[in-house]
Amino acid sequence: MELAYYSDYAVRLVNTEEPARNKDSLTSVDAIRELFGASSQPARRATDADVTRFRSVRARLRAVFTAADSGDETRAVDLLNSLLLEFPVNPQISGHDFRDEDGHPKWHMHLADHPSNATAGYAAIAAMGLAFHLTEYGVDRLGLCQAAPCRNAYLDTSTNRSRRYCSDRCATRANVAAYRARKRLETERTERSASTGRTADTTQETSPRTDR
């Protein structure tokens, strides 16, 4: 598994909460296991205590995205470094599930399961994956959706660094909202112009004529 794959761990965890909508799907051990994937060893070690711990890590990861989205690169890096120090990874070279045409393993880096608990294992993977993405592509590639009220996290992989939304759905919703706002503004301007014209005509009709 390439290290770039692990960056999505952070996005998935952050997006279990939608603060503006007062929604939180991270409420059970099953929700944690869904983040890992059912076949993952650390997922099977998850307990009720991990729910609170996962929420704490989630808040810290969201803070990284928030800092990056606001242009505060130094703060984003500092916050991510604190996670890397607290949750170190256990890298290993692995060849499982990947074979070339001759049946030989395709060796790749794998972030091994953390021995202490499910939260530590997930946090280590998420932080390392996000750190890899940040250093490879830049802090400005970490963003928060601009389609209010959604503030889901995303990783910008566009060629021109132009991504602003977490999904096509949010992009469409934002474009429709912008279009409707423009139409309302055009209607208001037309109505004001017509009203101004009517007022001018009325003034001309009621004004007394002065004969010279």
Side-chain angles (χ1 to χ4, degrees), residues 5-77:
Y5 165 84
Y6 292 111
S7 60
D8 192 51
Y9 274 59
V11 173
R12 292 206 304 269
L13 178 54
V14 171
N15 291 347
T16 59
E17 182 185 31
E18 297 181 70
R21 293 189 174 106
N22 198 28
K23 292 183 178 180
D24 188 347
S25 63
L26 188 57
T27 58
S28 66
V29 173
D30 286 340
I32 291 175
R33 288 173 179 162
E34 287 181 8
L35 287 170
F36 277 108
S39 61
S40 176
Q41 181 62 37
R44 292 192 289 270
R45 293 201 303 265
T47 67
D48 289 336
D50 283 301
V51 175
T52 300
R53 291 194 289 254
F54 259 73
R55 286 177 173 177
S56 175
V57 172
R58 179 181 64 188
R60 294 170 66 182
L61 286 170
R62 177 171 283 278
V64 175
F65 279 92
T66 300
D69 188 66
S70 66
D72 193 343
E73 296 190 13
T74 301
R75 178 166 174 74
V77 170

Side-chain angles (χ1 to χ4, degrees), residues 103-119:
H104 299 298
K106 291 185 177 180
W107 301 112
H108 56 276
M109 290 300 299
H110 175 76
L111 301 185
D113 296 337
H114 202 281
S116 57
N117 59 64
T119 303

